[in-house]
């Protein structure tokens, strides 16, 4: 039985079993090597919507780095600052205290400087003046945050929009090809649909994490400002030694 099967297989022409391989071998042409997939080729296949996503990613990175440096500088704390302010105020050296605040040049120092400039007025007026400056300082630290929040929410939407247009393009190409439609006809539209989705999600997730991280850092600075405000108000209520 086995010998009969082997005899039949030997009688079948080779080009019937593997016609494509034999034809390629006879023509002396090497089989086509698939194109290597890389980040740049993927971006090109993503279509028009990759441009706004790229711009949003660059803007988000710039805002994150720039705000991080500003917030880090604002969060630096001189542990001897309040002690020196206390000594100057108890000694009646108001000008020296103001000079120290200007020299320190931090949000906390600007709050204390505003409070010192209101000395002699009711305590409530001093506190309101300090709180107003504190709100201005926090708003300055949060500059650019709306762009990060918008990118975190908008980038995935742009990616999904690219997905929809890519699928529309894929089905249009398939309908136009008629009976000649194959996977190559659909490839460009499918690439655009999938690549824009991935790009939108990546940009959105990175922007979201960056936004939340910066918000946490600003909250830390805000806690420092509140602590300095309480120390300064307690200082004004202390009797001079």
């Amino acid at each position: 039985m086995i010998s009969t099967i082997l005899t039949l297989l030997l009688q079948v022409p080779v080009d019937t079993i593997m016609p494509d391989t034999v034809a390629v071998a006879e023509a002396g042409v090497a089989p086509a090597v698939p194109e290597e997939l890389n980040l740049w080729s993927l971006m090109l296949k993503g279509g028009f919507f990759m441009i706004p996503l790229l711009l949003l990613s660059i803007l988000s990175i710039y805002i994150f780095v720039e705000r991080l440096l500003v917030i880090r500088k604002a969060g630096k704390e001189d542990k001897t600052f309040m002690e020196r302010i206390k000594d100057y105020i108890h000694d009646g050296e108001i000008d020296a205290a103001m000079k120290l605040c200007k020299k320190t040049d931090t949000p906390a120092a600007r709050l204390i400087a505003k409070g010192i400039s209101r000395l002699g007025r009711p305590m409530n007026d001093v506190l309101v003046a300090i709180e107003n400056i504190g709100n201005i300082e926090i708003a300055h630290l949060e500059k650019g945050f709306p762009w990060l929040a918008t990118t975190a929410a908008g980038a995935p939407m742009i990616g999904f929009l690219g997905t929809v247009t890519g699928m529309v393009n894929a089905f249009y190409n398939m309908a136009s090809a008629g009976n000649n439609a194959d996977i190559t006809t659909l490839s460009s539209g499918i690439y655009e649909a999938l690549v824009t989705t991935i790009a939108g999600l990546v940009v959105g997730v990175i922007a979201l994490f960056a936004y939340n991280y910066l918000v946490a850092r600003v909250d830390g600075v805000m806690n420092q400002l509140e602590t300095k405000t309480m120390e300064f108000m307690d200082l004004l209520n202390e009797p001079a030694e």
Side-chain angles (χ1 to χ4, degrees):
M1 181 67 179
I2 297 177
S3 60
T4 304
I5 295 174
L6 291 175
T7 303
L8 292 175
L9 289 175
L10 292 174
Q11 293 176 353
V12 176
V14 178
D15 57 350
T16 304
I17 302 175
M18 295 180 295
D20 295 336
T21 304
V22 174
V24 170
E26 291 178 352
V29 180
V33 179
E35 180 183 356
E36 183 179 356
L37 194 63
N38 54 60
L39 181 60
W40 178 249
S41 63
L42 280 176
M43 292 180 62
L44 292 179
K45 293 179 183 299
F48 167 78
F49 290 99
M50 294 299 292
I51 297 176
L53 290 175
L54 178 61
L55 295 177
L56 286 176
S57 64
I58 294 174
L59 179 63
S60 299
I61 293 173
Y62 170 77
I63 292 176
F64 174 75
V65 174
E66 190 268 340
R67 287 293 93 190
L68 181 61
L69 295 177
V70 172
I71 295 171
R72 181 177 296 177
K73 180 180 178 181
K76 289 184 178 180
E77 184 178 5
D78 184 0
K79 296 182 179 180
T80 64
F81 175 75
M82 289 305 299
E83 293 295 330
R84 297 168 66 183
I85 291 293
K86 178 180 179 180
D87 293 338
Y88 285 141
I89 292 179
H90 283 173
D91 294 340
E93 300 179 5
I94 305 302
D95 292 339
M98 289 294 292
K99 290 180 180 179
L100 176 60
C101 292
K102 293 179 180 180
K103 180 181 178 181
T104 305
D105 191 25
T106 61
R110 286 189 282 273
L111 260 66
I112 302 303
K114 176 58 68 173
I116 293 174
S117 68
R118 295 294 189 270
L119 290 179
R121 297 188 180 184
M123 296 293 293
N124 187 56
D125 292 348
V126 177
L127 181 59
V128 170
I130 293 177
E131 289 177 347
N132 290 337
I133 293 298
N135 292 333
I136 294 175
E137 292 292 337
I138 295 301
H140 173 71
L141 293 179
E142 293 178 345
K143 181 181 178 182
F145 281 22
W147 278 107
L148 283 178
T150 301
T151 300
M157 296 297 101
I158 295 176
F160 293 148
L161 181 59
T163 301
V164 173
T165 58
M167 294 306 298
V168 169
N169 185 33
F171 283 111
Y172 176 79
N173 292 337
M174 184 173 64
S176 300
N179 295 330
N180 297 325
D182 55 11
I183 190 61
T184 304
T185 307
L186 300 174
S187 62
S188 61
I190 295 176
Y191 263 122
E192 180 180 347
L194 298 180
V195 171
T196 54
T197 301
I198 295 173
L201 290 174
V202 169
V203 174
V205 168
I206 293 176
L208 178 61
F209 277 93
Y211 173 80
N212 289 331
Y213 177 75
L214 292 179
V215 168
R217 293 295 297 264
V218 171
D219 289 341
V221 175
M222 187 184 301
N223 292 334
Q224 290 183 9
L225 297 182
E226 291 177 353
T227 301
K228 291 293 187 297
T229 300
M230 294 176 61
E231 291 181 7
F232 181 74
M233 298 306 296
D234 291 339
L235 172 61
L236 297 183
N237 290 323
E238 291 180 359
E241 297 180 358

